[in-house]
Amino acid sequence: MKKLGPLVIGDLTAKYPVIQGGMGVGISLSSLAGAVAKAGGIGIISTAQIGFRDPDFLKEPMEANMRAIRSEFEKARQIAPKGIIGFNIMVATKNYARYVKEAIRAGADIIISGAGLPVDLPEYLAEAKRLASEAGETVRTKIAPIVSTAKSALVICKMWDRKYHRIPDLVVIEGPLAGGHLGFTREQLAAYGADTDQVTKTYDEKAYDEEIRGIIKVVKQFEEKYNSHIPVVLAGGIYTHENVEHAMELGADGVQVGTRFVTTRECDAPMSYKQAYLDATEKDIVITKSPVGMPGRAIRNVFLDNTSENRVKIEHCYQCLEHCDPKNIPYCITKALSNAAEGDLDHALLFCGSNACRCDRIETVEDVIGDLMGVAG
């Protein structure tokens, strides 16, 4: 088993091999990301409708989001001047390239990208580097795809190799126990026993462990070709020190954790959102179909019950996702997620990981990282 040492990504070194997962809308912003980075992990800001509190968001959501990328990063950097701070940017985001370039210009240490395969991410980074060089500046942003299967890992590594002559700086493996939008079909989730209300009891860990080994095997092929180590981080269902140890036994270099950080003092979510996690039972955690057809894990509430039978009138399009048709969706996901971040839970989509029901108290970020690393207290 690998030791729980630092997580090294090129010239970046995190004291602890813990990446905080990007959670939008408004759940992982500067407060949480800055605190994690300050504590020795890697803090991640979600760009998903990041400017939802901007006064001009309704009129110009894109411009509001661009401003917020820079302001949230700057606030996080003030909290952790020497920490590692990056962004999670969904490939499914409308105007994805613009988000990536703005995050790089803001100074992101790393960009983690999923919800689709980030096939053109290296192109956007190369363009940003060229422009920075012309201005006498240097870009050191690392890029990391999120994959869920060996097949998707092979596709992205082969494409980056063939088209851009490079490899990922990091690979995040997101398993079926993760929160929010999932990189699996409903059928794949069923195959792992992860689409039932009793998910923690029925999850076929051994089956997905084999998939993880397959992904790591794919990554090693490209490590050998480029004679350069590609760190692999495991996400989805990471809640305890034992989970971290298991990830290391499988060959991972680190872990990515989302749910455990929601119920921290530093998390950007309102207390009502955190309380929903504290109150959730195992049967409250369900797989739901998002408006864009992707399965996602969330806490069952009045909103989910109502929208399972009734369509919520779409009053405004916030231009959030590439393949969203406002005329044919059951509700607006931007509105549902921003309601959650504002504490209007009866009209909110509450994304969560499979372990949300295990949250029983408010902790600090340092408490969580210490517990994950087995050095609490």
Side-chain angles (χ1 to χ4, degrees):
M1 183 182 76
K2 293 183 179 179
K3 293 183 179 180
L4 295 179
L7 177 58
V8 180
I9 311 169
D11 59 358
L12 298 177
T13 301
K15 181 179 179 181
Y16 298 113
V18 176
I19 299 176
Q20 162 251 313
M23 297 171 283
V25 173
I27 306 305
S28 60
L29 297 175
S30 56
S31 178
L32 179 56
V36 171
K38 184 178 180 180
I42 296 179
I44 300 295
I45 298 167
S46 168
T47 65
Q49 300 297 57
I50 187 172
F52 74 104
R53 289 195 176 100
D54 189 293
D56 292 328
F57 180 67
L58 189 66
K59 184 173 65 175
E60 296 181 330
M62 176 60 65
E63 300 308 319
N65 287 338
M66 294 302 107
R67 287 191 292 272
I69 284 174
R70 191 170 293 273
S71 64
E72 289 297 328
F73 184 82
E74 289 173 352
K75 286 187 287 186
R77 180 58 73 208
Q78 289 174 4
I79 296 170
K82 297 181 180 180
I84 301 174
I85 301 166
F87 290 91
N88 178 289
I89 307 176
M90 297 188 299
V91 178
T93 303
K94 193 179 288 289
N95 296 307
Y96 170 70
R98 190 174 174 191
Y99 281 85
V100 170
K101 293 172 186 176
E102 189 62 31
I104 294 170
R105 280 193 290 267
D109 292 314
I110 187 168
I111 291 174
I112 296 173
S113 199
L117 290 178
V119 293
D120 296 322
L121 186 54
E123 177 183 335
Y124 307 142
L125 177 60
E127 182 180 340
K129 283 185 174 180
R130 178 180 57 79
L131 293 174
S133 178
E134 292 173 357
E137 301 170 351
T138 301
V139 168
R140 294 190 172 87
T141 306
K142 305 296 185 287
I143 52 176
I146 298 175
V147 300
S148 296
T149 63
K151 181 179 179 180
S152 59
L154 183 60
V155 167
I156 199 72
C157 287
K158 283 182 71 173
M159 187 164 290
W160 284 19
D161 172 35
R162 177 179 57 82
K163 194 173 180 180
Y164 303 109
H165 310 293
R166 65 158 296 156
I167 50 178
D169 296 303
L170 170 82
V171 170
V172 177
I173 302 174
E174 192 169 277
L177 297 185
H181 284 129
L182 303 170
F184 300 88
T185 64
R186 189 80 190 224
E187 290 72 26
Q188 287 173 318
L189 290 172
Y192 293 116
D195 72 337
T196 69
D197 292 342
Q198 301 297 316
V199 63
T200 55
K201 294 179 181 177
T202 63
Y203 173 55
D204 191 341
E205 184 178 73
K206 288 184 178 179
Y208 195 67
D209 282 355
E210 282 305 306
E211 191 70 43
I212 292 168
R213 293 187 182 98
I215 295 171
I216 292 174
K217 186 177 179 181
V218 167
V219 171
K220 286 190 179 299
Q221 293 175 22
F222 291 87
E223 280 188 340
E224 292 170 2
K225 180 173 182 177
Y226 282 80
N227 192 29
S228 180
H229 179 55
I230 306 171
V232 174
V233 166
L234 187 58
I238 307 295
Y239 196 84
T240 66
H241 178 60
E242 289 71 28
N243 297 146
V244 176
E245 287 187 318
H246 182 64
M248 298 302 182
E249 288 170 358
L250 291 171
D253 298 276
V255 294
Q256 179 176 284
V257 179
T259 292
R260 186 79 189 268
F261 283 116
V262 170
T263 50
T264 59
R265 294 177 190 168
E266 298 92 339
C267 179
D268 298 88
M271 187 57 213
S272 57
Y273 189 104
K274 300 173 187 180
Q275 191 64 48
Y277 275 51
L278 298 178
D279 294 340
T281 64
E282 192 172 51
K283 64 181 176 62
D284 294 323
I285 300 171
V286 298
I287 301 295
T288 184
K289 184 178 180 180
S290 91
V292 290
M294 302 163 69
R297 181 171 282 109
I299 295 175
R300 183 177 178 179
N301 62 352
V302 171
F303 176 78
L304 277 188
D305 287 342
N306 288 342
T307 54
S308 66
E309 299 292 338
N310 305 298
R311 182 176 184 270
V312 178
K313 184 180 179 181
I314 310 300
E315 298 179 346
H316 183 77
C317 179
Y318 296 89
Q319 302 293 309
C320 60
L321 299 176
E322 192 66 51
H323 300 292
C324 179
D325 180 4
K327 295 178 182 178
N328 295 304
I329 57 175
Y331 60 88
C332 171
I333 194 166
T334 286
K335 187 63 176 171
L337 291 174
S338 60
N339 283 346
E342 296 285 13
D344 182 9
L345 301 196
D346 284 346
H347 302 93
L349 175 61
L350 300 170
F351 274 151
C352 71
S354 60
N355 285 308
C357 57
R358 299 174 69 178
C359 298
D360 59 4
R361 66 190 184 281
I362 299 297
E363 305 176 273
T364 66
V365 161
E366 282 196 359
D367 289 339
V368 171
I369 291 179
D371 189 53
L372 290 170
M373 293 297 98
V375 294

